[in-house]
Amino acid sequence: MSENRSMWSAAIALTALGAALFAFAVQLHLADEEMYVDGLSYFAGTAWGLALAVGAFAWQGRRLSSG
């Protein structure tokens, strides 16, 4: 069960990282600093995708261990 908690923590951390990167990309876009916006948006999407994958894996592990 301990590894399941660490997966949830990792999913939350990846979600927060994606949100921070996306917010920074939006700030740069609004300031007309387009140089890094594409890269930051890409990494934000990657972090959110990984968060979904880790969260789904943790949720599936919870379902299997309880049933």
Side-chain angles (χ1 to χ4, degrees), residues 2-53:
S2 169
E3 65 278 353
N4 199 9
R5 284 192 189 140
S6 65
M7 280 192 204
W8 284 116
S9 297
I12 292 168
L14 285 167
T15 302
L17 175 66
L21 288 172
F22 183 74
F24 190 51
V26 169
Q27 286 179 343
L28 288 176
H29 176 69
L30 293 175
D32 289 332
E33 297 288 334
E34 297 293 325
M35 186 172 180
Y36 299 109
V37 171
D38 288 339
L40 285 171
S41 299
Y42 174 79
F43 286 122
T46 301
W48 283 332
L50 286 172
L52 282 173

Side-chain angles (χ1 to χ4, degrees), residues 1 4 8 55-67:
M1 187 65 152
N4 199 9
W8 284 116
F57 189 72
W59 181 71
Q60 185 67 20
R62 188 185 75 179
R63 279 190 48 211
L64 290 175
S65 67
S66 67

